[in-house]
């Protein structure tokens, strides 16, 4: 239980976190004013957090070695290390699947079955399926944006609308995929099984996706034919395999390892892939997740300082004080608090995974005190962090789409209809669904 009396310095322990946000957000705003591309990524998060860690060590008021021990304890947290290892395997799978033709096959397989009259809902479905299979919204956007930009011109569609469709579909999979870094972060911080979190999520995400499809079907006016490049259906098999295996509840480490093996075998048999290059491609995948790997560890180290000095307890107490004023049955107010934590943190950080890691301990504390199941708290963290990420114009997704389509990132997020619909549906689900109570959910595998 949270001690209602916060220890001295509890609020002060949050200052380093504020410095991190100020540096990361402030530098992004500055570079954006200077018209620098990818303004919010000129000062990477894992670099911006270093001054914050230095300040946290100084505020700790302890011998240097003791402060370093606190940092290492946080960075070496069991859940964080597990999360980082999964990141490595997910990056390796994405890399191997890309060079063996899996991404191109998945994209063109989808385009080959999309009628021109259903171009917008078709692109949404393609983006949603690919991002669910790949576990990355950025990878999905990177693969689809060049194709979609050409289709927008070919079909005489508003580029901002098409960009919004891709962002919507990409965020669907980013939120729902069992190999997404947000899923990994939310399940590990909350102690939930990935399959349980997926089942909890899809009850909210699927209705939002259906409504989004209906909206896009009304907005489609294209009649030009959609051309897909030649592809092999075998390239889709590794993605389909890991999705099915993960939903079945197979251990995520085994799922990703099997995915890497299947992608490599598929490529060697059907795509002239040289198995001698497998090690290099896996290493490339490892390197691709270096930033989020380091940032997750360093954020956890910063969180340990805040936790030891009572900052997280103070935050939790303030949230409970505010939500206690809401006259809602059961633990609905606390569920709203978890949602608000994830949403607002991501508005500051513009990185949904980092937002989940930052708020994970507070969310778990609230969930345990009010008997909210781990699967529900993990689902809320992931959903609302991804909603926020799909609505911030300074997020990586909106910036990449803006550059790809030659439009403002503001125009992109203004057409992110899925995220807006998901925000409404998820909020109403919390308010209208029966209160959630913990029934001793098993630990994550």
């Amino acid at each position: 239980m949270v001690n209602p009396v916060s220890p001295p310095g509890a609020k002060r322990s949050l200052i380093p976190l504020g410095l991190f946000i100020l540096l990361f957000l402030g530098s992004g705003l500055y570079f954006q004013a200077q018209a620098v591309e990818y303004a919010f990524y000129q000062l990477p998060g894992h670099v911006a957090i270093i001054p914050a860690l230095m300040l946290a060590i100084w505020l700790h008021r302890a011998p240097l070695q003791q402060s370093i021990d606190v940092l290492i304890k946080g960075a070496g947290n069991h859940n964080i290390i597990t999360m980082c290892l999964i990141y490595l395997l997910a990056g390796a799978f994405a890399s191997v699947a890309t060079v063996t033709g899996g991404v191109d096959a998945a994209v063109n397989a989808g385009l080959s079955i999309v009628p021109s009259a259903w171009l917008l809902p078709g692109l949404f479905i393609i983006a949603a399926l690919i991002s669910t299979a790949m576990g990355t919204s950025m990878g999905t956007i990177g693969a689809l944006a060049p194709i979609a930009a050409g289709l927008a011109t070919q079909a005489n569609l508003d580029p901002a609308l098409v960009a919004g469709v891709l962002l919507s579909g990409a965020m669907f999979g980013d939120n729902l995929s069992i190999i997404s870094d947000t899923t990994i972060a939310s399940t590990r911080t909350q102690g939930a099984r990935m399959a349980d979190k997926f089942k909890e999520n899809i009850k909210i995400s699927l209705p939002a996706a259906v409504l989004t499809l209906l909206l896009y079907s009304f907005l489609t006016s294209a009649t030009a034919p959609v051309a897909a490049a030649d592809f092999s259906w075998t390239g889709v098999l590794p993605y389909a395999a890991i999705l099915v295996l993960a939903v079945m509840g197979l251990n995520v480490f085994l799922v990703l390892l099997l995915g890497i093996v299947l992608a490599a075998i598929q490529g060697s048999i059907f795509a002239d892939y040289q198995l001698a290059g497998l090690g290099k491609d896996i290493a490339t995948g490892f390197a691709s997740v270096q930033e989020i790997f380091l940032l997750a560890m360093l954020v956890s180290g910063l969180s340990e300082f805040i936790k030891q000095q009572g900052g997280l307890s103070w935050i939790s107490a303030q949230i409970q004080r505010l939500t206690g004023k809401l006259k809602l049955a059961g633990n609905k107010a606390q569920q709203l608090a978890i949602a608000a934590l994830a949403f607002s943190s991501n508005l500051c950080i513009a990185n949904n995974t980092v937002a989940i890691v930052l708020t994970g301990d507070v969310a778990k504390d609230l969930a345990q005190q009010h008997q909210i199941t781990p699967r529900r708290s993990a689902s809320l963290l992931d959903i609302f962090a991804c909603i926020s990420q799909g609505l911030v114009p300074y997020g990586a997704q909106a910036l990449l789409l803006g550059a790809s389509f030659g439009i403002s990132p503001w125009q992109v997020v203004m057409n992110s209809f899925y995220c807006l619909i998901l925000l409404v549906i998820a909020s109403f689900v919390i308010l209208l669904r029966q209160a959630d109570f913990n029934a001793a959910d098993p630990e994550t595998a």
Side-chain angles (χ1 to χ4, degrees):
M1 297 293 287
V2 170
N3 189 339
V5 180
S6 298
K11 289 188 286 186
R12 187 182 64 188
S13 70
L14 298 172
I15 295 176
L17 176 59
L19 176 62
F20 170 51
I21 294 172
L22 178 64
L23 288 172
F24 190 50
L25 188 61
S27 65
L29 292 172
Y30 170 78
F31 286 116
Q32 187 177 58
Q34 301 300 314
V36 177
E37 289 188 357
Y38 305 109
F40 285 83
Y41 295 87
Q42 295 302 307
L43 180 62
H46 59 300
V47 176
I49 200 172
I50 292 176
L53 288 169
M54 294 172 65
L55 178 58
I57 290 173
W58 182 74
L59 290 174
H60 192 225
R61 307 295 190 191
L64 180 60
Q65 186 57 52
Q66 184 177 331
S67 296
I68 292 174
D69 289 343
V70 173
L71 172 62
I72 293 173
K73 178 183 178 182
N77 178 278
H78 170 76
N79 285 331
I80 295 298
I81 296 300
T82 302
M83 184 193 311
C84 289
L85 291 175
I86 296 173
Y87 288 158
L88 290 176
L89 291 177
F93 170 73
S95 175
V96 174
T98 298
V99 296
T100 56
V103 173
D104 290 338
V107 170
N108 288 292
L111 291 175
S112 68
I113 59 176
V114 177
S116 57
W118 290 84
L119 185 56
L120 291 181
L123 282 175
F124 175 79
I125 292 173
I126 293 169
L129 291 176
I130 291 175
S131 59
T132 302
M134 292 178 66
T136 165
S137 55
M138 285 298 292
T140 300
I141 291 170
L144 284 177
I147 299 172
L151 289 175
T153 301
Q154 179 184 353
N156 196 30
L157 288 170
D158 179 7
L161 182 58
V162 176
V165 171
L166 289 191
L167 179 56
S168 294
M171 295 315 299
F172 172 90
D174 196 332
N175 168 223
L176 200 60
S177 174
I178 45 80
I179 60 171
S180 166
D181 49 4
T182 59
T183 293
I184 295 166
S186 61
T187 53
R188 294 309 303 184
T189 59
Q190 302 306 297
R193 294 178 67 247
M194 287 189 176
D196 290 340
K197 181 262 184 187
F198 177 87
K199 294 171 186 176
E200 184 77 19
N201 249 36
I202 201 166
K203 298 173 186 176
I204 301 172
S205 300
L206 193 57
V210 171
L211 289 177
T212 304
L213 280 173
L214 291 174
L215 176 60
Y216 284 139
S217 67
F218 285 116
L219 295 175
T220 301
S221 58
T223 56
V226 179
D230 292 335
F231 69 95
S232 171
W233 283 100
T234 57
V236 184
L237 293 179
Y239 288 120
I242 67 166
L243 182 61
V244 171
L245 291 174
V247 173
M248 289 172 59
L250 195 64
N251 182 280
V252 65
F253 287 100
L254 188 56
V255 168
L256 290 171
L257 285 171
L258 287 174
I260 294 169
V261 172
L262 287 173
I265 292 175
Q266 181 276 141
S268 66
I269 296 175
F270 300 103
D272 297 323
Y273 176 69
Q274 300 299 315
L275 288 175
L278 178 60
K280 182 179 179 180
D281 293 327
I282 290 175
T284 299
F286 286 172
S288 70
V289 297
Q290 172 183 293
E291 180 175 342
I292 190 62
F293 183 104
L294 291 173
L295 188 54
M297 292 182 67
L298 295 176
V299 166
S300 184
L302 180 60
S303 178
E304 185 65 26
F305 281 106
I306 298 172
K307 185 192 306 180
Q308 288 200 12
Q309 296 173 46
L312 293 178
S313 296
W314 183 82
I315 291 174
S316 182
Q318 300 308 306
I319 291 172
Q320 291 184 77
R321 181 176 62 83
L322 292 173
T323 55
K325 298 178 180 179
L326 298 175
K327 304 302 181 182
L328 298 175
N331 51 26
K332 295 180 180 181
Q334 287 71 35
Q335 292 185 53
L336 284 175
I338 292 172
L341 271 173
F343 187 91
S344 57
S345 296
N346 192 80
L347 288 180
C348 297
I349 299 297
N351 186 312
N352 43 2
T353 305
V354 177
I356 290 170
V357 173
L358 275 173
T359 57
D361 283 338
V362 177
K364 186 174 184 179
D365 188 39
L366 282 170
Q368 290 178 340
Q369 288 186 58
H370 299 278
Q371 295 184 298
I372 300 171
T373 57
R375 65 175 181 267
R376 178 71 64 84
S377 59
S379 176
L380 291 173
L381 278 178
D382 202 341
I383 287 174
F384 282 89
C386 286
I387 289 172
S388 180
Q389 185 68 17
L391 296 176
V392 289
Y394 44 86
Q397 294 81 357
L399 292 171
L400 177 57
L401 283 166
S404 300
F405 283 81
I407 58 178
S408 165
W410 288 99
Q411 293 176 277
V412 177
V413 298
M414 288 296 291
N415 288 277
S416 183
F417 298 132
Y418 169 73
C419 293
L420 292 170
I421 292 172
L422 182 61
L423 175 61
V424 174
I425 289 181
S427 299
F428 272 103
V429 164
I430 294 174
L431 295 172
L432 300 179
R433 192 163 62 177
Q434 183 177 1
D436 178 69
F437 289 100
N438 195 347
D441 277 16
E443 291 289 327
T444 181

